[in-house]
Amino acid sequence: MIDFKRIDHFHICVPPERLEEAKDFYTNVIGLELIDRPDHLFSSAGYWLNIGNVQLHIGVEPALPHTIRHTALEVIDVDAARRHLEGNNVEIVEEPVIPGRHRFAFIDPFGNRMELLQID
């Protein structure tokens, strides 16, 4: 049995030529804090960002089609988050209703699916 403590980080990929655009989207539109990444340890470019006590790692790889794979993040006000993303022309995806959870997903400009949810 594995005794998990918490999520440490999750990793998404963007096409190499769009890495700076990804940094701009996740810092300026989503509002995440850019943190130090030990670039000398990696053979490819990327960025690390804080989301509360979890990190988002952005790496590079060729573009891939949309997927149902995703990361879900709990937020305080899911409706305000949705309005913010819609105001920034971010693609919204409706999710099936799950009792006790108010949620939706969005597709970032690089094809990564992210779910935002609020626990009722």
Side-chain angles (χ1 to χ4, degrees):
M1 178 184 233
I2 298 173
D3 186 17
F4 292 101
K5 184 174 181 181
R6 68 178 186 92
I7 187 171
D8 178 73
H9 73 274
F10 58 98
H11 187 271
I12 63 169
C13 289
V14 302
E17 67 277 7
R18 297 186 72 193
L19 180 60
E20 295 306 310
E21 182 184 350
K23 179 181 103 173
D24 182 64
F25 177 79
Y26 278 96
T27 57
N28 294 324
V29 174
I30 302 299
L32 304 184
E33 171 196 9
L34 191 63
I35 59 174
D36 288 333
R37 175 183 184 259
D39 291 333
H40 66 284
L41 298 177
F42 302 102
S43 61
S44 63
Y47 289 106
W48 288 4
L49 303 106
N50 269 338
I51 303 176
N53 66 351
V54 175
Q55 294 177 3
L56 166 63
H57 295 181
I58 302 175
V60 295
E61 71 180 13
L64 300 172
H66 286 221
T67 177
I68 62 170
R69 291 178 300 207
H70 68 280
T71 299
L73 304 169
E74 185 177 357
V75 299
I76 300 298
D77 186 340
V78 75
D79 293 325
R82 182 179 182 131
R83 286 190 302 274
H84 174 75
L85 293 172
E86 288 172 338
N88 282 279
N89 299 313
V90 175
E91 180 181 351
I92 302 297
V93 178
E94 297 302 332
E95 294 288 337
V97 173
I98 297 176
R101 293 172 179 247
H102 186 56
R103 67 195 190 117
F104 70 93
F106 69 90
I107 306 299
D108 77 6
F110 320 98
N112 296 293
R113 183 184 186 95
M114 308 286 280
E115 179 183 333
L116 298 181
L117 63 95
Q118 182 177 344
I119 306 295
D120 296 335

